Amino acid sequence: MSVWSRSLMVLAAGVALVGASGCSAGGAVEGPSTETSAPSASQSLQKVDPCKMLAPQDLKDFGLEGPGSPNTTLPWEPGCDYSRGDPITATVYKNMRQTVESAAKKPSWAMFKRIEVNGRSGAQAITKGATQARICSTMFNAGKGLIEVSVSESELPDDLDECAKSTEIAKRIEPEMPEPA
């Protein structure tokens, strides 16, 4: 074999090796990792599954039936719908673009009241379009975003405080969420 042919084969093998190591599509990496930093707060929030925020006993305690249905209407705000429940229905969202502070600036609120959820910055809010529908949301900061719990009364009569119920659920979820960034 000529020197030129061997050089070409070594070059081709080197290109294949570099390509295989640089273009891995999530395959396992052998050996110790060289990365020493912990995941960022936004990564922690990205790993949160809205349909796993409430344990089966929590669902039962609030009168919700599980499992919930994933709600992926907005990719940056995935949620989980619990549309079967008595006395309430609920949707739990994680929003990776907003914080309570930035959400407060939205012009869509009929009511936006600052509160704390287990010591975290939070708010109770009703959108202008939801005042007649009896829907109230409680949100709190988590990671580099927020967690939001929207509650509505599932049947008449309207004798339930939806904001109090959404806050009660948010307080149950909060201890398991990543700290605000």
Side-chain angles (χ1 to χ4, degrees):
M1 186 180 282
S2 72
V3 174
W4 189 83
S5 295
R6 268 188 259 149
S7 297
L8 188 56
M9 287 177 61
V10 169
L11 177 64
V15 168
L17 184 60
V18 169
S21 67
C23 295
S24 171
V29 176
E30 306 242 335
S33 173
T34 58
E35 187 171 326
T36 58
S37 63
S40 72
S42 67
Q43 289 172 327
S44 295
L45 189 56
Q46 286 176 341
K47 294 177 183 178
V48 171
D49 180 347
C51 286
K52 293 184 180 175
M53 287 186 203
L54 290 166
Q57 185 60 49
D58 295 331
L59 295 173
K60 186 177 177 182
D61 290 349
F62 294 118
L64 298 169
E65 290 185 33
S69 302
N71 178 330
T72 57
T73 305
L74 300 173
W76 63 88
E77 188 179 50
C80 190
D81 295 326
Y82 296 96
S83 57
R84 296 180 318 265
D86 184 26
I88 63 167
T89 61
T91 303
V92 180
Y93 300 96
K94 67 174 182 177
N95 185 316
M96 296 178 286
R97 287 190 177 177
Q98 297 280 322
T99 61
V100 172
E101 291 73 27
S102 63
K105 298 174 186 172
K106 293 167 67 174
S108 59
W109 304 118
M111 186 272 288
F112 194 91
K113 177 182 170 188
R114 296 290 190 139
I115 64 168
E116 285 192 356
V117 177
N118 297 342
R120 293 192 197 206
S121 179
Q124 291 176 334
I126 300 173
T127 61
K128 291 177 183 173
T131 56
Q132 296 300 315
R134 304 183 328 261
I135 300 171
C136 184
S137 297
T138 296
M139 61 188 79
F140 62 89
N141 288 328
K144 289 187 177 179
L146 63 82
I147 301 297
E148 181 177 340
V149 179
S150 294
V151 167
S152 72
E153 194 165 3
S154 52
E155 295 182 17
L156 291 174
D158 183 14
D159 60 354
L160 182 82
D161 182 345
E162 292 86 4
C163 290
K165 191 56 82 172
S166 66
T167 300
E168 185 181 347
I169 295 171
K171 286 181 176 182
R172 183 83 57 98
I173 292 170
E174 180 277 331
E176 300 301 319
M177 295 302 107
E179 290 296 319

